[in-house]
Amino acid sequence: QAPLVESGGGLVQPGGSLRLSCAASGDTSEIDAMRWYRQAPGKERDLVAIILEDGSTAYVDSVKGRFTISRGNAWPTVYLQMNNLKPEDTGVYFCNGQRPNGVDFWGQGTQVTVSS
């Protein structure tokens, strides 16, 4: 299994909500930053949000005010609360964790489809 495992994706109508989870499955020690990326069909992978171990967060402009990244008690577990979803939010959402030395880890992705 991948060192990070995403879950919570699915099909939702525009304006709906989903909560994605990302949990460690292997050796993900010493990670100090977690990110959510997404990739729409035929498009490049885009950064969505980042959270540091201290709880600091940042978001891409297109999701500000709609998405919230948070950390769980068992770091590097993280979540992505997605509200007021739009069709353009559709894509495979990937979780990424990075160590200070640049080593990073990826999940297998979870599909989010926003459609009427």
Side-chain angles (χ1 to χ4, degrees), residues 13-94:
Q13 294 183 342
S17 298
L18 286 172
R19 187 175 190 248
L20 306 183
S21 298
C22 175
S25 182
D27 181 11
T28 56
S29 62
E30 301 181 14
I31 287 173
D32 66 0
M34 294 288 286
R35 296 172 173 87
W36 284 100
Y37 290 83
R38 67 187 178 190
Q39 187 167 18
K43 295 187 177 181
E44 299 296 321
R45 181 188 65 191
D46 294 323
L47 177 67
V48 175
I50 181 173
I51 186 168
L52 305 183
E53 192 170 3
D54 68 2
S56 302
T57 60
Y59 303 87
V60 67
D61 286 346
S62 61
V63 308
K64 286 181 179 177
R66 300 189 298 119
F67 290 12
T68 302
I69 188 171
S70 60
R71 57 158 289 172
N73 294 133
W75 179 263
T77 297
V78 296
Y79 307 97
L80 185 68
Q81 179 67 45
M82 305 185 295
N83 298 327
N84 192 24
L85 283 160
K86 303 175 180 180
E88 51 263 44
D89 295 319
T90 293
V92 179
Y93 283 68
F94 297 93

Side-chain angles (χ1 to χ4, degrees), residues 92-108:
V92 179
Y93 283 68
F94 297 93
C95 180
N96 166 268
Q98 190 170 74
R99 291 174 173 167
N101 64 7
V103 172
D104 62 355
F105 303 87
W106 291 92
Q108 81 290 344

